[in-house]
Every structure is written in structure tokens, then in C-alpha cells.
Amino acid sequence: AERFDLGRDYLGFAGVSESGYYILEIKTMDGYVRGYVVRRGCWSGDPPCPRVRATYGPKSRAYLNNPNDISLSWHRGGATDSRIVIVEDQISAAKVAQAGLTGVALTGSYLGEDKVIEIASARPDYVTIALDQDATGTAFSAARRWGLAFPAIKVLPLAKDIKDMKHSDVVELLK
């Protein structure tokens, strides 16, 4: 967690497997655990942390309690307003929560109808899509496709992935 300037209480850290993989909770909007993402170790001197490329990618794997469930992971932290920031991975969502907003991790970059329905059911006033730098085009496509599902939406093009920013920079970025 120290590599990402992040407290583990925001992350939904569930433990470490015997083989050194980190287990992170996939949470519903209400905070119930809907499953887990298992990803290669990425703390305390490990090599650079692998990206979460897709729900069932080679470097991270999602395990859902209900196979028909979707893989959104909600991180609320101390959110006091109804703005939602959509990001790719749980570490970025946790950094958004630590900055005082609700972060929703797609566990990948795909924003489909089922995920939009769940996010819209939270009745946000404002939605920001802040996908990693390599998925900016995907973020703009998603905003064009799903923009009418929310009262207001914007895409935040990033020069650096949220998970790699300092806490103070994330707070400033999301003002």
C-alpha cells in the first residue's frame, strides 16, 4: 500500500495467498463483497505492479461469488456528495475514495450496459470517467455511448495513471 500512497482500509485488502498474490475485494454499492480479484504482488520492493487488463486477464483474475454478477468494485471512503469517478482498477478506485469521492473500478476498461445500469442506480449528480492513460479513447467512446444515462458526464484524460499519483495530486485532479 505504501507504494501507492494508500491506506489498506480504502483498498479492500483481503490478504495474501501462499504464492504471494494479493487478494482484493470486489464490493457492491452497499459494501457487500461480491467476489475477489487476485493479482500479482505489487508492494514492498516487488517489480512494477502489473495492470488489470481484463476481468480474466493473465496478470489478475476475478473470482465472483455469483457467476452472473458483474465485476464493478465500489470504493466509497468518506464521499459526501454524489459524484462518481469511474476508473479501471481497484487501486485507482481506492485512491479516489481516499480523496473523498466514490471510486468505481471496472476491473478492466469495458463499460457495458449492466455496469451503466448499476452506476446509474446510485443516482449520481456527476460522473467522471478517468481510465488509465492507454484507454483514453475507450473513455471517450464510453462517454458518447452512455452519456445520457447520467445527468452530467465528463472524461478526464490522464497524463499518469491515478494509481501512480500522489494523494495530493489525486485530490487536486478531482476538485
Side-chain angles (χ1 to χ4, degrees), residues 107-175:
T107 61
S109 61
Y110 178 70
L111 182 60
E113 181 179 1
D114 54 349
K115 293 180 179 184
V116 169
I117 290 169
E118 183 175 318
I119 294 167
S121 72
R123 305 179 69 78
D125 290 330
Y126 202 91
V127 172
T128 301
I129 301 176
L131 302 184
D132 291 353
Q133 185 178 10
D134 60 346
T136 302
T138 302
F140 279 106
S141 294
R144 280 191 301 275
R145 183 170 186 192
W146 302 113
L148 294 177
F150 309 109
I153 190 168
K154 78 173 182 177
V155 173
L156 192 60
L158 300 174
K160 190 178 194 181
D161 296 349
I162 287 178
K163 68 179 158 282
D164 296 324
M165 294 180 182
K166 289 190 259 175
H167 172 69
S168 58
D169 294 339
V170 174
V171 170
E172 185 66 29
L173 177 74
L174 298 175
K175 274 187 178 178

Side-chain angles (χ1 to χ4, degrees), residues 8-24:
R8 286 189 178 185
D9 50 333
Y10 288 100
L11 189 55
F13 182 75
V16 180
S17 72
E18 290 178 10
S19 56
Y21 283 72
Y22 289 86
I23 304 164
L24 307 174

Side-chain angles (χ1 to χ4, degrees), residues 37-171:
V37 165
V38 178
R39 63 187 281 160
R40 282 193 200 155
C42 54
W43 282 282
S44 64
D46 290 340
C49 191
R51 299 175 195 264
V52 177
R53 293 220 162 150
T55 303
Y56 294 100
K59 295 178 181 176
S60 111
R61 195 168 297 269
Y63 299 94
L64 299 170
N65 297 336
N66 176 354
N68 298 320
D69 205 350
I70 57 177
S71 58
L72 282 180
S73 186
W74 291 74
H75 297 260
R76 289 195 181 267
T80 56
D81 62 24
S82 64
R83 290 186 296 160
I84 290 177
V85 181
I86 300 172
V87 296
E88 282 187 47
D89 59 83
Q90 291 159 292
I91 294 171
S92 297
K95 298 240 355 197
V96 168
Q98 185 173 276
L101 298 174
T102 299
V104 178
L106 298 176
T107 61
S109 61
Y110 178 70
L111 182 60
E113 181 179 1
D114 54 349
K115 293 180 179 184
V116 169
I117 290 169
E118 183 175 318
I119 294 167
S121 72
R123 305 179 69 78
D125 290 330
Y126 202 91
V127 172
T128 301
I129 301 176
L131 302 184
D132 291 353
Q133 185 178 10
D134 60 346
T136 302
T138 302
F140 279 106
S141 294
R144 280 191 301 275
R145 183 170 186 192
W146 302 113
L148 294 177
F150 309 109
I153 190 168
K154 78 173 182 177
V155 173
L156 192 60
L158 300 174
K160 190 178 194 181
D161 296 349
I162 287 178
K163 68 179 158 282
D164 296 324
M165 294 180 182
K166 289 190 259 175
H167 172 69
S168 58
D169 294 339
V170 174
V171 170

